[in-house]
Amino acid sequence: MVTTLVTIPRYQVKEQLYNGSKTLVYRGYRETDSLRVVIKLLKNPYPGLGESVQFRNQYTITKNLNSPLIIQTYSLEPYQNGYVLVMEDFGGISLKEWGTGSSLRNLTEFLQIAIALCNTLDILYRHRIIHKNIKPANILINPETKQIKLIDFSIASLLPRETQTLISPNVLEGTLAYISPEQTGRMNRGIDYRTDFYSLGVTFYELLTGELPFKSNDMMELVHCHIAKQPAPLELFKIPKSISDIVMKLMTKNAEEHYQSALGLKYDLENCLTQLQLTGKIESFPIAQTDVCDRLKNISTSLCTFSHVDKDYKVPFNIHEGIDSTILILKHRLKANDQRPAIEVITDYGKLTKIECFFGQLNQVFINILINAIDALYKSNTRRIFEKIKTNFNRITIKTSLENEGVKIAITDNGRGINESVKQKIFDHLFTTKGMGKGTGLGLAIAHQIVEETHSSKLSFNFVIGEGTEFLIEIPL
């Protein structure tokens, strides 16, 4: 069959990449500088207002997302009665075309792809974007470099939360085989960033098995499956239990039971990849242990304090309640094990009034700094015998005070301190001293951004080699 190529001013079109029900996609180059591009246009020669708005939406949302994990859009240009969207061409093909299930090369490649997608979802979360159409067809991979990029933001939302109304499955946004229960409009709840986690779970399931978790030609039956039915266990496809647990958690019916953060999901996938690379197999382990919000439902009042969604404005907050809830969340990491005694946490609270802040974000700062302190103490125990550690207990001290018309929060550990070479980079994005699969390089960078930029406050640190490190948060009143 011969494909007729379109003629687009200022571009040379070389081949057709996609011919869908609503859009056409071509590969070519820009005549002025021979830049390789991918060009997308509407199939309808006379698009309606809704089609045009949706088409422009993907350019509006992605034009400021300068990330190697998201397809770069160069321009939106008038074409006949609509537009063409001009994007980068990095030699990618869709994961759908590249391979799923038995044609997926190996489990290592799956985990590398999955980890890259976690980074992508974290970027969307930080920009308050809900994609709403995560699926293999919208994820591109370069077959040579294995670089991953997310595409098609035509139905994406810039809102952190939106309401979904009850409508016919024939007109639902997204692809029915991949949409979350709340996206069907039949769950009496709004849509937030976690809807993409469900779709990611369906995508993972298909990549691993070559099959969709739910198959039906009846649209209403498919909606019912997403809301009420469980997919066939991945163990039937000889997938390691830990990976199966991760995918099943992503596909739980209630958003509160999904992973609550892309970074918590990434941590577990990195654990799987590290095991696979070091030992050739993946042992079962408790998942979601670093997914901060996942454990909140198990610790009553303190967890509610920690997981409360921030408003668009600062509200009065008891700093000590936030610190106490964070300590409870991390309690499992403070306990003794075969290699070390328990880590002791000492709180020395001053007399503070409530402060105006975004307390959900401030709690994130506390947990990031405390995790860093715990990891530093773990590292300081390397090559030290248990009895010697007991003579100088691992200790974290948290002291608050009211000084110079501001609140000071000092979090100190008695680990080894920080090397001079690390000093200048400690708040840098993606900088980490941890081994592969053990750190993202985001914790302290995020904490620094929340304190310095969001709260116009100060986050600094002091250290003494061999004695420990102190992080100091100073918040003006």
Side-chain angles (χ1 to χ4, degrees):
M1 176 175 141
V2 178
T3 300
T4 304
L5 300 181
V6 297
T7 300
I8 301 173
R10 298 180 299 281
Y11 295 92
Q12 285 289 330
V13 176
K14 306 303 289 183
E15 64 175 310
Q16 186 179 88
L17 298 179
Y18 176 74
N19 186 340
S21 59
K22 294 183 179 180
T23 57
L24 296 165
V25 181
Y26 296 93
R27 173 171 279 144
Y29 63 89
R30 193 163 57 193
E31 291 176 343
T32 55
D33 56 4
S34 298
L35 178 70
R36 291 173 55 193
V37 295
V38 170
I39 302 169
K40 182 178 181 179
L41 63 151
L42 286 168
K43 202 168 188 179
N44 186 350
Y46 299 98
L49 178 61
E51 279 186 292
S52 296
V53 168
Q54 195 176 82
F55 195 78
R56 292 184 63 179
N57 185 58
Q58 54 197 318
Y59 174 72
T60 303
I61 287 179
T62 58
K63 65 180 179 179
N64 295 318
L65 288 176
N66 298 315
S67 167
L69 294 165
I70 294 168
I71 204 75
Q72 185 179 353
T73 53
Y74 294 140
S75 60
L76 182 73
E77 302 179 15
Y79 175 72
Q80 295 181 355
N81 299 301
Y83 300 95
V84 294
L85 181 66
V86 183
M87 300 169 285
E88 68 170 316
D89 179 8
F90 75 109
I93 60 175
S94 75
L95 283 184
K96 189 80 172 176
E97 182 183 351
W98 183 69
T100 59
S102 59
S103 34
L104 188 69
R105 279 60 174 176
N106 53 56
L107 207 51
T108 298
E109 285 193 351
F110 163 76
L111 289 168
Q112 290 168 338
I113 291 168
I115 290 166
L117 290 172
C118 290
N119 290 330
T120 305
L121 288 194
D122 184 57
I123 291 167
L124 298 188
Y125 172 75
R126 287 189 280 114
H127 284 84
R128 297 194 170 193
I129 294 170
I130 311 169
H131 188 276
K132 295 192 292 185
N133 203 13
I134 302 287
K135 58 180 180 178
N138 285 338
I139 300 162
L140 301 185
I141 182 169
N142 182 300
E144 300 300 323
T145 66
K146 302 301 187 291
Q147 185 180 15
I148 295 290
K149 289 181 185 280
L150 183 64
I151 63 169
D152 195 357
F153 286 72
S154 55
I155 62 169
S157 170
L158 279 169
L159 301 173
R161 186 178 182 86
E162 64 177 49
T163 301
Q164 185 75 333
T165 54
L166 182 63
I167 54 178
S168 166
N170 291 298
V171 291
L172 284 173
E173 284 190 323
T175 306
L176 194 54
Y178 300 88
I179 63 173
S180 68
E182 59 268 27
Q183 209 169 330
T184 65
R186 286 159 172 77
M187 293 289 285
N188 193 29
R189 64 175 300 151
I191 296 171
D192 61 23
Y193 70 97
R194 294 171 296 187
T195 194
D196 287 341
F197 286 15
Y198 182 91
S199 301
L200 185 66
V202 178
T203 297
F204 285 176
Y205 192 103
E206 186 179 14
L207 288 175
L208 289 164
T209 68
E211 300 178 8
L212 285 165
F214 307 116
K215 291 175 285 187
S216 175
N217 294 323
D218 186 308
M219 291 185 176
M220 286 307 300
E221 183 182 355
L222 204 48
V223 168
H224 174 71
C225 288
H226 284 303
I227 293 172
K229 287 194 174 181
Q230 295 300 320
L234 282 171
E235 286 93 333
L236 297 178
F237 299 89
K238 299 182 180 179
I239 302 300
K241 185 177 185 304
S242 291
I243 293 181
S244 175
D245 290 345
I246 290 168
V247 175
M248 291 302 107
K249 183 171 181 63
L250 285 168
M251 291 180 60
T252 51
K253 305 306 181 184
N254 295 318
E256 289 77 15
E257 296 175 2
H258 297 336
Y259 278 90
Q260 305 298 298
S261 72
L263 297 184
L265 169 61
K266 179 184 174 183
Y267 184 93
D268 288 346
L269 291 168
E270 286 179 332
N271 188 345
C272 292
L273 180 60
T274 301
Q275 286 192 53
L276 192 59
Q277 290 175 331
L278 293 177
T279 68
K281 59 182 180 179
I282 301 172
E283 298 289 350
S284 180
F285 62 90
I287 65 170
Q289 295 303 293
T290 60
D291 189 38
V292 173
C293 296
D294 184 71
R295 293 185 302 279
L296 301 192
K297 60 178 179 282
N298 298 320
I299 310 175
S300 58
T301 306
S302 296
L303 301 183
C304 292
T305 300
F306 189 94
S307 62
H308 199 288
V309 178
D310 279 330
K311 298 182 182 296
D312 293 330
Y313 50 89
K314 294 179 180 178
V315 296
F317 178 56
N318 186 324
I319 289 290
H320 297 154
E321 287 182 4
I323 295 171
D324 288 342
S325 66
T326 303
I327 293 169
L328 279 173
I329 291 164
L330 294 173
K331 192 173 182 181
H332 72 291
R333 295 202 64 193
L334 300 170
K335 291 179 180 178
N337 59 33
D338 294 337
Q339 283 75 46
R340 58 163 179 78
I343 297 174
E344 183 181 15
V345 178
I346 299 171
T347 55
D348 181 9
Y349 292 157
K351 199 168 184 181
L352 304 182
T353 58
K354 290 185 176 181
I355 66 167
E356 300 277 331
C357 65
F358 298 105
F359 62 87
Q361 295 186 42
L362 213 51
N363 280 336
Q364 187 66 57
V365 172
F366 298 150
I367 200 162
N368 287 0
I369 292 176
L370 282 170
I371 286 174
N372 187 76
I374 292 167
D375 289 343
L377 290 170
Y378 283 1
K379 191 173 181 179
S380 72
N381 292 333
T382 306
R383 299 194 184 111
R384 294 174 66 199
I385 62 172
F386 193 92
E387 291 304 317
K388 184 149 188 177
I389 298 172
K390 286 174 68 175
T391 63
N392 182 24
F393 276 108
N394 294 157
R395 185 178 299 108
I396 298 173
T397 303
I398 305 171
K399 183 177 181 179
T400 65
S401 58
L402 196 61
E403 297 179 26
N404 300 324
E405 299 183 341
V407 171
K408 284 192 176 182
I409 306 159
I411 302 175
T412 309
D413 67 71
N414 64 340
R416 292 178 181 173
I418 299 172
N419 292 331
E420 230 11 87
S421 60
V422 174
K423 183 178 178 182
Q424 301 302 323
K425 307 175 186 176
I426 196 164
F427 294 128
D428 286 358
H429 182 68
L430 299 180
F431 175 74
T432 180
T433 59
K434 299 169 187 173
M436 183 179 65
K438 295 183 179 179
T440 62
L442 293 172
L444 290 180
I446 291 171
H448 187 262
Q449 182 180 358
I450 291 171
V451 173
E452 300 260 355
E453 297 179 19
T454 308
H455 288 87
S456 301
S457 301
K458 183 179 179 183
L459 175 60
S460 58
F461 65 96
N462 303 297
F463 66 93
V464 176
I465 298 294
E467 293 185 21
T469 305
E470 175 192 72
F471 282 87
L472 184 64
I473 304 167
E474 296 173 88
I475 305 174
L477 294 178

